Amino acid sequence: FKGLVLATTMTAGLLRVSEAIPEMGSEQPPITFDDLVFRWSDDGKTLRYAELWVLPLKKGRQARKVPIKMKYSKGNVRAAHLLWLYSTLRAVPANEKSSTPLFSDFTFDDGAAADSGRHASGVTTKRTGNNFRIIDQGWFRQWYQAKMRDAGNPYWRCYNTHSFRIGGAT
């Protein structure tokens, strides 16, 4: 599920893999739960869009986070809906939303082994408590290529993590 949400969000938001899931030690800060905002209809019953605040990778050191709006859709790219489901499953306390990476390698098993590190942004990522390490880019690439291979695509090795940005732009 986490791979599907990440892939759909990257496609809808035209995200580079390092914007969505930066490597450990990178100066690119991870997207956190605080960076995700849902906009609802006036009656509060219908999700209108998800707004994801992202720091553009190639805008230099003075760059600021910008909002990417992903409209709720019943079409093929359902990023807003999937992000809402994902965030509902990942109940993060309000006081930890700014330090918990959105796209993290989580399980529902509290006995997960500790694995910690620190991004240059100061966000600590570990697999204990409510903070989890960011999804590994290698895992994500392997997950996606396995999906392509299992679907019978003979060119599955040609697809990589940049395919989502290319596909979204197309």
Side-chain angles (χ1 to χ4, degrees):
F1 182 63
K2 63 189 171 194
L4 174 64
V5 174
L6 176 56
T8 303
T9 302
M10 286 176 59
T11 302
L14 302 179
L15 297 176
R16 293 175 176 88
V17 69
S18 291
E19 290 169 337
I21 50 173
E23 296 278 0
M24 189 62 64
S26 165
E27 290 194 21
Q28 180 75 9
I31 298 169
T32 66
F33 274 86
D34 251 0
D35 296 323
L36 179 60
V37 180
F38 296 104
R39 303 295 181 193
W40 298 86
S41 61
D42 290 338
D43 63 7
K45 294 181 181 179
T46 305
L47 177 61
R48 291 179 35 227
Y49 61 90
E51 190 174 82
L52 190 63
W53 287 80
V54 178
L55 183 66
L57 187 63
K58 294 189 175 184
K59 296 292 183 186
R61 293 196 182 271
Q62 301 303 321
R64 293 185 180 167
K65 287 187 177 185
V66 296
I68 298 174
K69 293 182 180 179
M70 291 170 264
K71 185 177 179 182
Y72 176 76
S73 166
K74 294 183 180 176
N76 291 332
V77 180
R78 303 174 95 171
H81 187 224
L82 288 173
L83 282 166
W84 177 75
L85 288 172
Y86 179 80
S87 67
T88 301
L89 289 172
R90 292 284 316 276
V92 175
N95 65 336
E96 295 182 12
K97 288 187 178 222
S98 65
S99 64
T100 303
L102 181 63
F103 300 114
S104 52
D105 190 6
F106 72 95
T107 67
F108 293 105
D109 177 13
D110 288 338
D115 182 12
S116 58
R118 181 174 291 276
H119 275 267
S121 64
V123 172
T124 301
T125 56
K126 56 187 176 183
R127 289 189 71 184
T128 58
N130 287 316
N131 294 313
F132 299 86
R133 68 180 172 88
I134 295 169
I135 292 174
D136 180 71
Q137 290 181 11
W139 174 87
F140 184 56
R141 181 177 29 266
Q142 290 174 357
W143 171 85
Y144 182 54
Q145 288 179 338
K147 294 289 181 192
M148 297 300 286
R149 184 187 63 237
D150 294 348
N153 186 324
Y155 306 105
W156 61 271
R157 285 189 180 103
C158 297
Y159 291 87
N160 62 45
T161 55
H162 197 67
S163 298
F164 302 104
R165 183 173 169 85
I166 294 167
T170 302

